[in-house]
Amino acid sequence: MDLSLIQALVQPAETKIVLLVMDGLGGLPQEPGGLTELEAAKTPNLDALASQGICGLQTPVGAGITPGSGPGHLALFGYDPLKYQVGRGVLSALGIDFDLTRQDIAARGNFCTVNEEGVVTDRRAGRISTELNAQLCQELRQIRLPHADLFVLPEKEHRFLFVLRGEDLYADITDTDPLQVGKKPLPPRPLSPRAAHAAELVEQFVAEARNILRDHHPANMVLLRGFAQ
């Protein structure tokens, strides 16, 4: 998409736009020939909005491609997600108005539940309350890492923002989130030699977080994904 063309066409206005995204609402009939969940649902408020607005379908990236949060959000607002890339960690930071600097690497964090063998049994820790999340983040902020500042801030329910700030930190690190239950959290691995130091700091944080959260069931472990700058 030609953003320079869009900028030339934009006209200031006093009105506001509400963008309502019905994400992931596909369904199947309960029985052959029956209605899907959406066909059976009573939606008077959505019907009223639809009658006064504009409706459409969007393919964010391409046919058959399920986008992550970064590409999905960019596409919704008119950016080419193949050209403009924003990592999940940066989205988390922007979502809570955290002031990222060029020295920061950010990741989306989940409080999760692991069993005695360290296997993930719930990637979202039962969706704990945001109030408990804030308490746990405060405990994790006690962790001290060499040559780097640590920020652990609550988002909502089980979600939190993880940020490292320091010299020569690079975000090309693998996720610790296995993305499914029944597996142990993954070790953070550098995807390039320059990211080795940051990966070591992340690994130290995860190890210390495990000790701090050990007795905080169901939120007794953390998962990190979407390292970005």
Side-chain angles (χ1 to χ4, degrees):
M1 180 170 289
D2 188 348
L3 295 181
S4 60
L5 173 62
I6 292 178
Q7 291 172 346
L9 296 175
V10 168
Q11 296 292 328
E14 298 297 325
T15 56
K16 295 183 179 181
I17 295 173
V18 174
L19 175 62
L20 177 62
V21 182
M22 306 294 284
D23 178 25
L25 288 183
L28 295 172
Q30 295 279 332
E31 55 188 29
L35 300 178
T36 68
E37 296 92 337
L38 290 180
E39 290 171 332
K42 295 181 179 179
T43 57
N45 294 324
L46 291 175
D47 292 343
L49 287 173
S51 68
Q52 300 179 47
I54 299 173
C55 299
L57 300 176
Q58 182 184 41
T59 302
V61 179
I65 298 175
T66 302
S69 298
H73 280 78
L74 286 174
L76 285 172
F77 291 101
Y79 292 89
D80 181 351
L82 298 180
K83 181 178 180 181
Y84 302 96
Q85 297 188 17
V86 175
R88 187 64 183 83
V90 170
L91 281 180
S92 289
L94 296 175
I96 61 171
D97 291 328
F98 182 86
D99 188 14
L100 280 179
T101 75
R102 294 186 180 275
Q103 290 184 308
D104 297 345
I105 62 173
R108 154 77 180 274
N110 274 17
F111 287 107
C112 71
T113 307
V114 296
N115 63 18
E116 295 180 354
E117 288 74 39
V119 174
V120 177
T121 59
D122 186 342
R123 292 180 55 246
R124 299 173 179 83
R127 295 188 180 273
I128 59 173
S129 69
T130 304
E131 291 74 20
L132 177 56
N133 178 330
Q135 296 173 23
L136 297 177
C137 285
Q138 185 173 0
E139 292 195 37
L140 294 182
R141 285 196 292 271
Q142 300 173 13
I143 296 173
R144 295 293 177 262
L145 301 174
H147 311 297
D149 295 324
L150 171 66
F151 302 86
V152 185
L153 299 169
E155 292 185 48
K156 185 178 180 181
E157 296 178 335
H158 57 283
R159 311 172 187 89
F160 66 89
L161 170 67
F162 167 87
V163 176
L164 287 179
R165 177 174 295 169
E167 298 289 341
D168 297 321
L169 297 179
Y170 297 92
D172 35 347
I173 303 170
T174 61
D175 297 346
T176 73
D177 188 348
L179 298 180
Q180 56 184 297
V181 298
K183 293 189 175 182
K184 293 184 178 182
L186 303 172
R189 297 296 187 221
L191 296 173
S192 68
R194 68 177 189 172
H197 175 52
E200 290 175 358
L201 293 176
V202 172
E203 189 168 21
Q204 181 178 338
F205 167 79
V206 171
E208 296 196 32
R210 181 188 302 115
N211 290 330
I212 291 174
L213 298 173
R214 189 179 303 276
D215 297 325
H216 286 282
H217 188 83
N220 59 358
M221 185 52 174
V222 296
L223 301 173
L224 302 174
R225 60 188 173 94
F227 291 94
Q229 289 176 286

